Amino acid sequence: LGQLLVLKLGQKLNEGKTKQIIELADESGHVLVQSKDQITAGNAARKDQMEGKAAIANRTTSCVFKLLQEAGIKTAFVRQQSETAFVAARCEMIPIEWVCRRLATGSFLKRNPGVKEGYRFSPLKMEMFFKDDANNDPQWSEEQLLEKKFCLAGLTIGRCEVDIMNRTTVAIFEILERAWATQNCTLVDMKIEFGVNVSSKEIVLADVIDNDSWRLWPAGDRGQQKDKQVYRDLKEVTPEAMQMVKKNFEWVSERVKLLLEPQASGRVVVLMGSISDLAHCEKIRKACGSYGIPCVLRVTSAHKGPDETLRIKAEYEGDGVATVFVAVAGRSNGLGPVMSGNTAYPVINCPPITPDWGAQDVWSSLRMPSGLGCSTVLSPDAAAQFAAQIFGLSDHLLWAKLRASMLNTWVSLKQADQKLQACSL
Ligand SMILES: Nc1ncnc2c1ncn2[C@@H]1O[C@H](COP(=O)(O)OP(=O)(O)OP(=O)(O)O)[C@@H](O)[C@H]1O
Ligand SMILES: *[C@@H]1O[C@H](CO)[C@@H](O)[C@H](O)[C@H]1NC(C)=O
Ligand SMILES: *[C@@H]1O[C@H](CO)[C@@H](O)[C@H](O)[C@H]1NC(C)=O
Ligand SMILES: *[C@@H]1O[C@H](CO)[C@@H](O)[C@H](O)[C@H]1NC(C)=O
Ligand SMILES: *[C@@H]1O[C@H](CO)[C@@H](O)[C@H](O)[C@H]1NC(C)=O
Ligand SMILES: CC(=O)N[C@H]1CO[C@H](CO)[C@@H](O)[C@@H]1O
Ligand SMILES: [Mg+2]
């Protein structure tokens, strides 16, 4: 509450069943999203105050948005403000619920009789629902959304915007699915909403992601579900039953914090055959930094000082830190192959190719003796990215960055094309 007093609140912009949206007098373009202390189901037909629920919802939303934000997904979330409130970009909300499913359950089974609960969707199943309480949020097709030509904060929701939301929903699901897997929890399905940031006119993930937004089955077992379904399924709302729902909520909100914890931390060791390769190696280090991977640079030549090369290698073996070696050697690359033949850690060749002899030199990185498994990439960025992909196998936070970056590249291409088409009209 102390922190809250520091904020100068403007007028209340909106109030729904679970939260209030309040203007911030001193931060234009931002709002305070304040959770209300109650749980609703069946469109508020069932309403019970649940002490502490808002705080738990706050924690869930902040952790999930933080995870996505750090991965590089564009969200409205700015910062946690108090136990029950966070500051977000002011958005005009697109009145669509995007639903993404891995396993069939709930309303999908009713709409698709014959499909058994637990049917696995691969690729993920996408659905959208128009937010219209009076008509029970009807399911919509893409065509229905396109024909509506919604205009929010000056942005018309057309083909490009719909594709971006669809793709972003899939990326968000995959990131959260991977994160929950670290807790042995299956993310069964999820619903999210997008808004248009009124300042940037960009589509961003908005509203909240909390217990109401997903189904989670610990160990893939519906019987142990920890989501709001438990509340919906209650036959009678007794204090004991509500206590159980709250305990489930707490179970999730305790675990959601663990989603932000790195699983393992690795390191990249770049070996260069000569100090003249330093500029190339600095680019690798910089790119590793963008993934948050520590990177050390060493100079050693496998041709001129093989004893030193193996001694340096030994420094990074056996201390329990997962290591990827990157070998940078011009002309004849002996460094990568010698490393690869003498360590079980992965080795990536990244030779600094020159215009004169590059076409010949590259063969020293490609044509290997049998038994060696080093890879070769030519750009420093690619070397760092490949190392990140290796660490991403066991680090969901790193994997999330790679996944978000793939999405953002796709979105940039889409937007560049749209801009070009608009200009040539
Ligand atoms: N960053 C934001 N900027 C502006 N409005 C927002 C933002 N985040 C959420 N909102 C909107 O605030 C309103 C209140 O939220 P709440 O979830 O309580 O509504 P609700 O009763 O569940 O109604 P709805 O069916 O629209 O979700 C919603 O219309 C929601 O879309
Ligand atoms: C999302 O995109 C997929 C793949 O292009 C498409 O099959 C699906 O119909 C889209 N879903 C919605 C709800 O728009
Ligand atoms: C997940 O399950 C595996 C295998 O059952 C177990 O070894 C591991 O400790 C579990 N992890 C968590 C976080 O519960
Ligand atoms: C919203 O857009 C403004 C203007 O571009 C930008 O400064 C701000 O960071 C955006 N907010 C969020 C949360 O993305
Ligand atoms: C999310 O779920 C957890 C546990 O199931 C619960 O503690 C929390 O209150 C839920 N949040 C919301 C908004 O329902
Ligand atoms: C009361 C409470 O749980 N508040 C939390 C809201 O979420 C942030 C981010 O996880 C926490 O730092 C607060 O403690
Ligand atoms: Mg809502």
Side-chain angles (χ1 to χ4, degrees), residues 39 48 50 231 234 237-246:
I39 186 166
D48 302 277
M50 193 161 71
Y231 177 78
L234 284 184
V237 183
T238 61
E240 296 76 42
M242 284 311 288
Q243 215 37 49
M244 187 192 72
V245 173
K246 191 176 168 199

Side-chain angles (χ1 to χ4, degrees), residues 23-42:
E23 197 172 42
L24 293 179
D26 297 332
E27 294 177 69
S28 81
H30 290 112
V31 294
L32 188 72
V33 180
Q34 174 73 55
S35 297
K36 304 204 287 190
D37 236 341
Q38 66 185 12
I39 186 166
T40 65

Side-chain angles (χ1 to χ4, degrees), residues 270-274 276-284 303 325-337 347-368 374-384 386:
V270 179
L271 305 176
M272 67 194 98
S274 154
S276 63
D277 300 323
L278 185 61
H280 187 78
C281 297
E282 287 289 6
K283 288 182 194 158
I284 299 175
H303 288 130
F325 289 106
V326 177
V328 174
R331 302 197 188 189
S332 174
N333 172 23
L335 194 52
V347 177
I348 302 170
N349 295 306
C350 186
I353 291 293
T354 53
D356 52 357
W357 285 90
Q360 287 75 29
D361 291 351
V362 75
W363 286 103
S364 64
S365 298
L366 297 176
R367 179 85 176 140
M368 289 294 121
C374 46
S375 67
T376 298
V377 297
L378 298 184
S379 86
D381 285 348
F386 192 29

Side-chain angles (χ1 to χ4, degrees), residues 90-92 151-156 196-202:
R90 180 171 179 179
C91 292
E92 285 194 19
C151 184
L152 297 151
L155 181 75
T156 303
V196 180
N197 176 339
V198 295
S199 316
S200 65
K201 319 286 179 213
E202 264 184 322

Side-chain angles (χ1 to χ4, degrees), residues 108-146:
F108 185 90
L109 302 177
K110 285 191 199 120
R111 282 179 286 111
N112 298 270
V115 179
K116 278 209 197 69
E117 178 160 61
Y119 179 98
R120 185 179 171 81
F121 300 110
S122 187
L124 292 161
K125 173 65 81 185
M126 289 290 306
E127 294 177 325
M128 70 168 99
F129 297 87
F130 176 48
K131 287 173 65 78
D132 178 10
D133 276 352
N135 291 299
N136 275 319
D137 297 352
Q139 185 173 14
W140 265 16
S141 63
E142 283 191 303
E143 291 73 20
Q144 283 174 290
L145 174 53
L146 288 170

